[in-house]
């Protein structure tokens, strides 16, 4: 038992000794660790201090370098600034020199341009003057190469040659010569208007083809006058009414015809199509062009049958007539071009007339008597008056011979306007005699009022104006 206690005591002492030893070792280890930590901290602080010192030294070195660099750059900038100032002054000087030089050149150019402009103006004025002179006085044959371009270009086409041969046959040529000579007073006016409107000069000869220059002719289709206007084509330049038909007026219809051709030219952008449209109608021609897949060459449209034969012959006829009239020596014929007459017959050429405005109906017969001229002369000057008297309810410019205007007022002061109690429509079985008996007036009075002959055959539904019984 004693032994056990002793053994237990020994064990306990041994255990305590071991524990003590472990504790000392643990304390010693902790002390080592603490010492190591202190050394690490000390080394770290030294390192940081050294780094800071290095950074400070580097910063100071960098600042010194930067300052030196800035000083160098500043010096360079000063040098550059001096150079730039010098360059700027040089550039400014050069700019001034260039400016002065440019101004001098511009002034010189302006002077040259003015000279050229004056020269061009003189040249243009001369050209216009020459052109005007050419228009006024073509050479003896009446031909001017600059003006009659259609003849130059197309006189040798087979279609034109065929018509020229027809017109050069004896009887046909005699008729052509007669037309040219007898149409003088109207043809000179047409020539003047063609030149005034700056249209192709060949158009002077178009009424030869249209109407044989007969201002009162009426076609089977209803076309009337020198330029063969249909009733539905008079607007906007002609009047057609109960008392007036300006298609019969050669002066007014000439202007209207030429303006219509001018309109067609602008519409089709081709003179031959303009003429074709004038002949067959713009609507019909437009349909023909569409049918031909928009072919716009007149000669092709004519040859392939897209337009009426009359229209296909229309332009070749015109060129053939014009060619003969301006080149008579070429075909060994004689035909007067009337250039001399054009220069001397000024009133006829220019359509110089006097006019008197009427507002009531007056008989042409009475007016002519008071003016000291024949009824035929007054009717010729006013062919648009279709009833033998001036219009009863509208203004009308009565055309008078030059110089008659002053005496017209006195003449009309002596005239009494007509009174129309009746407006009669002709029925079956009527005659001038039976109508005159019915209203108690003479046949002569009815004829004078309505501009008809005593032997005239009345038409069914014809309107007659019955003058008041005296």
């Amino acid at each position: 038992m004693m032994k056990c206690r002793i053994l237990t005591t020994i064990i306990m002492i041994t255990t305590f000794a071991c524990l003590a030893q472990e504790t000392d070792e643990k304390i010693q280890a902790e002390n080592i660790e603490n010492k190591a930590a202190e050394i690490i901290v000390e080394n770290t602080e030294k390192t940081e201090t050294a780094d800071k010192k290095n950074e400070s030294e580097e910063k100071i070195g960098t600042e010194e370098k930067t300052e030196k660099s800035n000083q160098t750059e500043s010096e360079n900038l000063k040098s550059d600034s001096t150079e730039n100032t010098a360059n700027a002054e040089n550039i400014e000087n050069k700019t001034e020199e260039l400016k002065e030089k440019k101004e001098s050149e511009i002034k010189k150019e302006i002077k040259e341009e003015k000279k050229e402009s004056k020269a061009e103006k003189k040249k243009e004025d001369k050209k216009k003057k020459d052109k005007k002179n050419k228009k006024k006085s073509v050479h003896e044959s009446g031909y001017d190469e600059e003006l009659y371009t259609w003849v130059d270009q197309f006189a040798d086409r087979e279609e034109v040659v065929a018509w020229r041969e027809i017109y050069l046959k004896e009887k046909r040529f005699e008729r052509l010569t007669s037309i040219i000579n007898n149409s003088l007073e109207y043809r000179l006016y047409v020539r003047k208007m063609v030149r005034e409107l700056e249209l192709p000069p060949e158009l002077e000869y178009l009424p030869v083809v249209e109407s044989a220059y007969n201002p009162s002719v009426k076609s089977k289709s209803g076309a009337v006058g020198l330029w063969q206007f249909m009733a539905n084509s008079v607007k906007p330049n002609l009047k057609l009414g109960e008392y007036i038909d300006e298609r019969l007026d050669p002066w007014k219809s000439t202007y209207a015809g030429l303006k219509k051709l001018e309109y067609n030219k602008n519409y089709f952008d081709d003179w031959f199509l303009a003429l074709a449209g004038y002949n067959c109608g713009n609507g019909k021609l437009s349909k023909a062009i569409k049918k031909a897949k928009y072919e716009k060459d007149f000669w092709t449209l004519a040859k392939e049958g897209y337009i009426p034969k009359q229209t296909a012959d229309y332009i070749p006829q015109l060129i053939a007539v014009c060619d003969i009239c301006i080149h008579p020596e070429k075909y060994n014929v004689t035909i007067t071009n009337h250039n001399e007459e054009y220069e001397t017959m000024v009133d006829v050429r220019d359509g110089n007339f006097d006019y008197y405005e009427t507002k009531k109906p007056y008989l042409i017969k009475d007016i002519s008597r008071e003016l000291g001229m024949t009824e035929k002369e007054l009717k010729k000057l006013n062919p648009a008056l279709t009833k033998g008297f001036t219009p009863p309810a509208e203004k009308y410019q009565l055309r008078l011979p030059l110089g008659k205007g002053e005496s017209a007022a006195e003449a009309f002061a002596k005239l009494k306007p007509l009174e129309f109690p009746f407006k009669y429509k002709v029925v079956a079985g009527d005659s001038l005699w039976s109508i005159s008996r019915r209203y108690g007036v003479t046949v002569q009075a009815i004829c004078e009022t309505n501009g008809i002959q005593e032997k005239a055959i009345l038409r069914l539904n014809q309107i007659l104006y019955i003058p008041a019984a005296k």
Side-chain angles (χ1 to χ4, degrees):
M1 179 108 175
M2 189 66 174
K3 286 181 181 179
C4 289
R5 287 180 181 176
I6 292 168
L7 183 60
T8 303
T9 302
I10 292 167
I11 292 168
M12 287 178 64
I13 290 167
T14 305
T15 303
F16 283 128
C18 288
L19 288 169
Q21 187 178 356
E22 288 177 359
T23 301
D24 290 340
E25 288 177 356
K26 190 174 181 181
I27 291 167
Q28 189 176 0
E30 287 177 356
N31 291 334
I32 291 167
E33 285 178 3
N34 290 335
K35 188 68 174 177
E38 288 175 1
I39 291 166
I40 289 168
V41 170
E42 185 179 352
N43 288 337
T44 302
E45 288 176 352
K46 286 180 179 178
T47 302
E48 287 177 355
T49 302
D51 289 341
K52 285 180 180 180
K53 186 177 180 181
N54 290 335
E55 285 177 5
S56 178
E57 288 175 353
E58 287 177 0
K59 187 176 181 183
I60 290 166
T62 303
E63 287 176 354
E64 288 176 354
K65 288 179 180 178
T66 303
E67 188 175 351
K68 287 180 180 179
S69 176
N70 288 340
Q71 287 177 355
T72 304
E73 190 173 346
S74 177
E75 289 173 359
N76 291 336
L77 287 171
K78 284 180 180 179
S79 176
D80 290 344
S81 177
T82 304
E83 289 178 5
N84 288 338
T85 302
N87 289 336
E89 289 176 356
N90 291 333
I91 290 168
E92 190 175 349
N93 292 334
K94 287 181 179 179
T95 303
E96 287 295 327
E97 288 176 6
L98 288 171
K99 189 177 179 182
E100 289 175 2
K101 188 177 179 182
K102 191 70 176 175
E103 285 178 356
S104 177
E105 288 177 355
I106 289 170
K107 286 179 181 178
K108 191 176 179 181
E109 286 178 4
I110 290 171
K111 284 181 180 178
E112 288 177 356
E113 284 177 2
K114 283 182 178 178
K115 286 180 182 178
E116 288 176 2
S117 178
K118 285 181 181 179
E120 285 293 326
K121 192 175 183 303
K122 285 181 181 178
K123 191 176 179 181
E124 189 65 27
D125 290 342
K126 189 176 183 301
K127 190 175 179 182
K128 285 181 180 178
K129 190 176 180 180
D130 291 344
K131 190 174 181 181
K132 190 176 180 181
N133 290 335
K134 280 184 178 180
K135 284 185 176 183
K136 284 187 175 180
S137 55
V138 293
H139 68 63
E140 290 181 2
S141 68
Y143 174 67
D144 186 292
E145 292 184 6
E146 183 183 348
L147 298 177
Y148 292 91
T149 55
W150 297 354
V151 173
D152 290 340
Q153 295 177 29
F154 304 105
D156 293 329
R157 284 191 68 95
E158 59 180 341
E159 303 95 323
V160 177
V161 170
W163 274 103
R164 187 168 59 234
E165 289 176 354
I166 291 172
Y167 277 108
L168 287 172
K169 288 180 180 179
E170 186 177 354
K171 289 186 178 180
R172 198 68 180 258
F173 181 73
E174 285 177 3
R175 176 166 167 71
L176 176 60
T177 304
S178 176
I179 291 169
I180 294 299
N181 290 329
N182 294 334
S183 64
L184 183 60
E185 59 184 318
Y186 303 132
R187 193 161 57 81
L188 295 185
Y189 181 75
V190 172
R191 186 188 301 179
K192 177 245 185 186
M193 290 303 300
V194 166
R195 291 177 176 180
E196 219 172 72
L197 295 172
E198 297 184 352
L199 303 177
E202 287 91 345
L203 295 180
E204 176 187 335
Y205 299 94
L206 188 59
V208 174
V209 179
E210 278 285 352
S211 61
Y213 259 107
N214 184 347
S216 61
V217 70
K218 296 180 182 180
S219 71
K220 292 179 181 178
S221 61
V224 173
L226 207 68
W227 294 88
Q228 290 291 281
F229 276 95
M230 298 291 288
N232 62 358
S233 63
V234 295
K235 293 181 179 180
N237 294 307
L238 295 174
K239 287 183 181 179
L240 175 60
E242 190 173 356
Y243 309 101
I244 296 173
D245 186 353
E246 290 185 341
R247 295 177 296 172
L248 295 165
D249 189 315
W251 298 278
K252 289 187 177 181
S253 66
T254 290
Y255 178 78
L258 294 176
K259 292 302 287 184
K260 174 66 174 175
L261 287 165
E262 189 177 51
Y263 170 83
N264 285 5
K265 165 61 169 60
N266 293 332
Y267 185 81
F268 290 109
D269 195 29
D270 181 271
W271 266 114
F272 286 174
L273 293 181
L275 287 161
Y278 189 90
N279 181 258
C280 70
N282 288 352
K284 185 177 285 187
L285 180 61
S286 295
K287 288 178 182 177
I289 291 171
K290 186 177 180 181
K291 189 177 179 181
K293 298 180 180 178
Y294 299 97
E295 172 61 59
K296 289 189 175 183
D297 177 64
F298 166 79
W299 303 106
T300 302
L301 293 171
K303 190 173 183 179
E304 296 183 6
Y306 287 106
I307 55 179
K309 188 179 185 308
Q310 178 186 333
T311 306
D313 289 338
Y314 189 62
I315 291 165
Q317 275 184 274
L318 171 61
I319 297 173
V321 168
C322 190
D323 186 25
I324 294 168
C325 289
I326 65 176
H327 284 142
E329 75 289 345
K330 186 177 177 181
Y331 305 107
N332 296 317
V333 294
T334 302
I335 194 164
T336 309
N337 55 55
H338 295 295
N339 283 336
E340 185 178 342
E341 288 84 348
Y342 183 82
E343 295 301 325
T344 57
M345 297 175 67
V346 178
D347 291 340
V348 171
R349 178 193 72 197
D350 294 343
N352 291 330
F353 302 104
D354 277 344
Y355 293 88
Y356 183 83
E357 185 177 88
T358 63
K359 299 176 183 178
K360 295 180 180 180
Y362 295 93
L363 282 174
I364 295 296
K365 179 182 178 182
D366 294 342
I367 297 170
S368 61
R369 183 185 68 247
E370 291 299 329
L371 287 172
M373 55 189 299
T374 67
E375 184 179 357
K376 185 178 180 181
E377 287 172 336
L378 191 56
K379 282 183 176 180
K380 186 177 180 180
L381 290 175
N382 297 274
L385 296 176
T386 57
K387 300 297 183 183
F389 55 85
T390 56
E394 62 179 290
K395 294 178 182 179
Y396 178 76
Q397 295 295 323
L398 186 70
R399 188 181 287 116
L400 302 171
L402 199 64
K404 289 285 186 181
E406 294 179 2
S407 58
E410 295 178 6
F412 275 90
K414 299 175 183 178
L415 296 173
K416 287 185 179 180
L418 293 171
E419 294 179 9
F420 301 117
F422 306 105
K423 183 178 177 181
Y424 182 75
K425 183 184 285 189
V426 175
V427 298
D430 274 340
S431 68
L432 287 171
W433 185 82
S434 64
I435 296 170
S436 68
R437 294 274 293 178
R438 185 180 304 169
Y439 291 104
V441 295
T442 64
V443 170
Q444 184 182 2
I446 294 175
C447 291
E448 288 177 352
T449 302
N450 293 274
I452 57 177
Q453 300 293 322
E454 290 188 18
K455 295 180 180 179
I457 298 173
L458 300 179
R459 302 186 310 276
L460 196 64
N461 297 323
Q462 181 179 348
I463 300 297
L464 292 177
Y465 296 89
I466 311 300
K470 295 181 180 179

